[in-house]
Amino acid sequence: MTYQELLDNARPVMGKYCKACPVCNGVACRSSIPGPGAKGVGDTAIRNYQKWQDVRLNMDTLFSNTGTDTTLNLFGRTFRYPFFAGPVGAVNLHYGETYNDVTYNDTLVSACAQAGIAAFTGDGTDPSVMQAATQAIAAAGGVGSPPSSPGTSTPSGKKWPWWPPPAALPWPWTWTPPGSPS
């Protein structure tokens, strides 16, 4: 499957906000999706994408013609690559009805574990999403991290009843400042 075929197959199921653009830069979804399309004046994703274009890797290092070791040892685990999958939340709102937060996180965590990397799961306003994410992480041998704050309350005002999450990586749990929407 080519990248164009991937985009063509994605567009019919992505919902009304995400346009499955060839380059996900926040232009087409500006001010329509919190997160990818940016909040406020709608230029955060666009500006972030533009700034990433300023980053260049100078690949002129000379080395012998042997295999390259891309593994990363972290927290007593070995990962195949030195990058992880970032969190995505409010999946139905942003990307259509194909997945919801629970099914997306379950698919993300298991696929990343099979690929040798860790997944950061999205959370949301429904506490069951976080609970299902921690179950998916436990089922994958703890190769993941749910990005939420253990001391924060759920939207219903209750504390997370199952903290710390079972078998998750020992990652810093607070990702957003107190009082910020997650």
Side-chain angles (χ1 to χ4, degrees):
M1 176 180 281
T2 67
Y3 187 64
Q4 186 58 50
E5 290 169 331
L6 175 83
L7 292 175
D8 292 342
N9 286 323
R11 285 190 184 104
V13 296
M14 288 304 283
K16 61 183 179 179
Y17 298 115
C18 179
K19 310 302 181 208
C21 299
V23 174
C24 182
N25 59 9
V27 173
C29 59
R30 181 181 186 150
S31 296
S32 64
I33 302 177
K39 294 180 181 179
V41 297
D43 69 347
T44 303
I46 295 166
R47 293 178 66 214
N48 285 345
Y49 180 82
Q50 290 168 342
K51 281 299 179 189
W52 275 109
Q53 302 316 295
D54 293 340
V55 176
R56 297 286 184 252
L57 297 177
N58 187 0
M59 304 297 286
D60 66 351
T61 304
L62 298 176
F63 68 97
S64 59
N65 190 13
T66 61
T68 302
D69 181 9
T70 60
T71 59
L72 169 70
N73 293 303
L74 188 65
F75 299 126
R77 294 179 182 260
T78 300
F79 298 97
R80 188 176 296 164
Y81 303 106
F83 53 81
F84 300 144
V88 175
V91 173
N92 290 116
L93 171 66
H94 297 146
Y95 306 111
E97 300 298 319
T98 302
Y99 293 99
N100 60 37
D101 289 338
V102 172
T103 57
Y104 176 81
N105 284 337
D106 191 47
T107 301
L108 176 74
V109 170
S110 62
C112 286
Q114 288 174 9
I117 63 173
F120 287 77
T121 59
D123 59 2
T125 57
D126 180 356
S128 68
V129 171
M130 189 69 169
Q131 188 169 15
T134 60
Q135 290 167 349
I137 291 167
V143 184
S145 181
S148 187
S149 302
T152 59
S153 297
T154 66
S156 64
K158 297 178 182 174
K159 299 290 182 187
W160 299 114
W162 23 261
W163 202 265
L169 293 174
W171 219 265
W173 300 108
T174 303
W175 290 90
T176 55
S180 297
S182 58

